[in-house]
Amino acid sequence: MNGPFDGGRNGGRGAEEPDDVRGVPRIPGQRSAADDLDPPATDVLRRAVENNARAARAAEHSREREVPDEPDTTDETDRADETVEADEAAGLDPGPETGADMSPGTPPEPAHPPEPAAERDMTGGRDPYGPPPPRPPAEPVGPPPSHSVLKSLLGAWALAACSPEETTHVEDHLTECAPCADEALKLRDAVGLLQADRNLDLPPLLRSRVLENCLDRRAARIPVPVWATPYDAETARLDALLRDFGDAEWHAPLQLRWFEKEQPAARRATVAGVIGHLMTVDGLVASALGLDDPLADPSALSPTDRTEAFWRAAHPPPTRTIHEPWRDQSHTLIRTVSFAGRGVAELSVSYGEFALPLRDAMIDRAFECWIHGVDIAEAVDYPYPAPSGPHLHVMIDLAAQLIPSALAARRRAGLASPARQLVVPGSPGRSLHLEVEGAGGGNWYIALDSPAAVGTADRAVAQVALDGVEFCQLVAGHIAPEEAAAGQDGDREAIRDVLFAAASLSRL
């Protein structure tokens, strides 16, 4: 085989190639596609192929003619001329001319490889190993479409989904039509936003910001009470988490944790079982408002008894069908307290062993909804941020108000140190300074000797510093009291009593 082994891609030997390697076989290089060649080179190849085809057809036709006496030299001359033109068009050396200057007996000169410059003409005079030049834009075929058609193509143009002809028509139109150019610019910006890598999870405060902005523009005819907004926000967040759950997520196992006396306690459940637990305890608030109780056994009063009764009656175990009743019940509670007016805030809600006013019961339900939302999110390996700062603050405030009563109950059970001073109800007594840091934090002074005493900074004998979320986890029984305090100072016995009292507020 003669010629280079790279398919002619390097155009023979290059100008920098030494003479001693001329004619050495080369490793074939990657062949360029026909579309990668310059348009002039493509036309040259096309014309060469057509000329060769015409020459072959003419040769076949001449063989069919049987004229032995006088051969048709005209056809042979034409064929030879066509062959020479084809070789010249393809950039090949046609060899010695067969005209009048060459006698029939003259031996033909030996063929020799084409010069490098001649072979480089096959690639349009460019470096064969360099990047291909940009292809010229396609010329529009036919008249441009109408304005309405071009306007309908703007979306596809912004997404780079138009054909070359359509792209040319649209871009020509944008230079003449200002409204379409403005709309095309907006569409191209929108495409840029769609292609950006962003977190699909909505910010936790987005709902609050949207509602606040809407209410600033136009106040609600029936506003939600301030003390009910934490419950409204937390049920909405949990509802958003549950909305895309499949059957596997609803049956995912988890542990409900709380604190009993001096030891942590736990109970296994499923995601559907936890939603049933929330719905059943919310039924205490529903009953106080005169709404339907979701529990068939009204004799169960405490949250733990109600939950156990619901789980015993649930055969088969709860599934995703529990989602809609829980969501409808939470919406009904929000609507009812919104229409009830101001006096409903002091309505008593019985928890069996104790009672809370409705305003505190709604905050308690918001707190438990958030805590169990964290349990559910951990079971399905999904992030679940803390509530907003104002909502977290009211939850911490309610827990701080309940600690003196929990401390007194533990003292009666022999689980806490005895009171050191008798305090007249409403008078200052020994106090512990509870400093909660972070979002929703603040300073509280916990009365140590009597629930009726008033905690003050002047009578503080100890100080405890905790993070806001950490304090709530302590109140929920999710962390041990010994591991909760980040900073302690003062009476160690008072600090221990308060931390254990805060953990005893937890329940199933």
Side-chain angles (χ1 to χ4, degrees):
M1 179 181 292
N2 296 327
F5 284 9
D6 59 354
R9 187 170 181 268
N10 195 29
R13 63 180 180 89
E16 72 280 2
E17 183 179 353
D19 295 335
D20 55 355
V21 296
R22 182 179 301 176
V24 177
R26 299 187 180 183
I27 298 175
Q30 184 178 1
R31 305 185 67 181
S32 302
D35 292 343
D36 293 337
L37 298 178
D38 292 341
T42 305
D43 295 338
V44 169
L45 292 177
R46 179 177 54 79
R47 288 196 301 268
V49 172
E50 292 176 356
N51 291 337
N52 290 334
R54 286 197 300 267
R57 289 195 299 270
E60 182 179 358
H61 180 67
S62 65
R63 284 195 300 271
E64 294 177 356
R65 298 175 58 186
E66 297 181 356
V67 186
D69 297 337
E70 296 181 359
D72 190 355
T73 58
T74 304
D75 293 341
E76 294 178 1
T77 303
D78 293 342
R79 289 194 300 271
D81 294 340
E82 291 176 356
T83 303
V84 171
E85 292 177 359
D87 293 339
E88 291 178 350
L92 302 176
D93 189 358
E97 298 182 0
T98 58
D101 297 336
M102 182 177 178
S103 61
T106 304
E109 297 182 2
H112 57 81
E115 293 297 329
E119 291 199 26
R120 280 198 297 269
D121 291 341
M122 293 291 292
T123 60
R126 61 177 173 86
D127 183 7
Y129 293 102
R135 300 180 62 182
E139 295 294 335
V141 179
S146 62
H147 174 82
S148 59
V149 174
L150 292 173
K151 185 176 181 180
S152 66
L153 291 175
L154 292 180
W157 174 84
L159 293 170
C162 289
S163 65
E165 294 78 12
E166 292 173 341
T167 301
T168 303
H169 285 308
V170 170
E171 292 178 352
D172 291 343
H173 179 69
L174 295 181
T175 61
E176 302 173 355
C177 181
C180 287
D182 183 61
E183 183 176 355
L185 182 61
K186 294 178 180 178
L187 290 173
R188 182 59 63 88
D189 293 340
V191 170
L193 294 176
L194 292 174
Q195 294 176 349
D197 294 334
R198 295 192 174 186
N199 190 356
L200 297 180
D201 296 329
L202 296 179
L205 299 181
L206 178 60
R207 184 175 186 272
S208 299
R209 290 199 300 266
V210 171
L211 291 176
E212 183 179 359
N213 186 35
C214 294
L215 294 176
D216 288 342
R217 292 179 178 270
R218 185 178 64 182
R221 295 177 58 184
I222 308 297
V224 177
V226 176
W227 43 267
T229 54
Y231 178 79
D232 184 25
E234 292 308 311
T235 53
R237 288 208 303 150
L238 183 55
D239 179 40
L241 174 65
L242 300 173
R243 194 171 300 164
D244 296 330
F245 275 17
D247 293 337
E249 286 82 6
W250 280 100
H251 295 286
L254 56 87
Q255 274 195 341
L256 299 179
R257 295 169 291 168
W258 67 97
F259 196 83
E260 286 185 356
K261 296 182 179 180
E262 301 291 323
Q263 298 295 330
R267 174 72 183 271
R268 293 184 61 85
T270 63
V271 171
V274 173
I275 298 302
H277 160 65
L278 290 175
M279 183 183 69
T280 302
V281 182
D282 284 350
L284 294 172
V285 181
S287 299
L289 292 171
L291 303 175
D292 294 336
D293 190 347
L295 190 64
D297 183 11
S299 60
L301 296 179
S302 69
T304 301
D305 293 342
R306 292 175 65 86
T307 301
E308 295 288 354
F310 172 78
W311 285 344
R312 287 194 302 268
H315 294 291
T319 61
R320 64 186 310 157
T321 57
I322 198 67
H323 182 202
E324 186 173 355
W326 168 79
R327 181 182 57 193
D328 292 342
Q329 182 187 52
S330 64
H331 291 175
T332 302
L333 291 176
I334 293 297
R335 284 197 304 269
T336 303
V337 298
S338 300
F339 280 95
R342 297 180 179 179
V344 74
E346 302 303 326
L347 182 67
S348 179
V349 178
S350 175
Y351 281 75
E353 299 178 355
F354 62 95
L356 292 174
L358 181 60
R359 63 166 63 243
D360 292 342
M362 294 295 288
I363 297 174
D364 170 76
R365 303 310 307 139
F367 176 82
E368 188 167 2
C369 185
W370 164 47
I371 293 298
H372 288 321
V374 174
D375 294 335
I376 293 173
E378 290 178 351
V380 297
D381 195 18
Y382 198 84
Y384 202 78
S388 63
H391 293 172
L392 190 62
H393 181 82
V394 297
M395 296 177 188
I396 296 173
D397 182 71
L398 176 61
Q401 295 178 21
L402 296 177
I403 287 178
S405 298
L407 178 57
R410 286 179 56 83
R411 186 174 289 125
R412 290 192 297 269
L415 301 175
S417 60
R420 298 185 182 180
Q421 298 178 358
L422 296 177
V423 182
V424 177
S427 301
R430 287 191 320 130
S431 307
L432 178 138
H433 179 199
L434 175 62
E435 181 182 0
V436 179
E437 303 170 346
N443 295 276
W444 287 266
Y445 293 93
I446 311 298
L448 296 174
D449 294 325
S450 172
V454 177
T456 61
D458 297 337
R459 302 294 301 275
V461 297
Q463 180 179 1
V464 174
L466 300 94
D467 176 73
V469 175
E470 184 182 21
F471 176 76
C472 291
Q473 294 289 334
L474 170 66
V475 174
H478 281 44
I479 58 177
E482 299 89 346
E483 303 174 358
Q488 302 180 7
D489 184 31
D491 191 336
R492 297 295 177 180
E493 188 177 51
I495 293 173
R496 183 186 183 279
D497 289 343
V498 168
L499 293 178
F500 275 81
S504 67
L505 295 174
S506 62
R507 59 179 183 272
L508 173 63

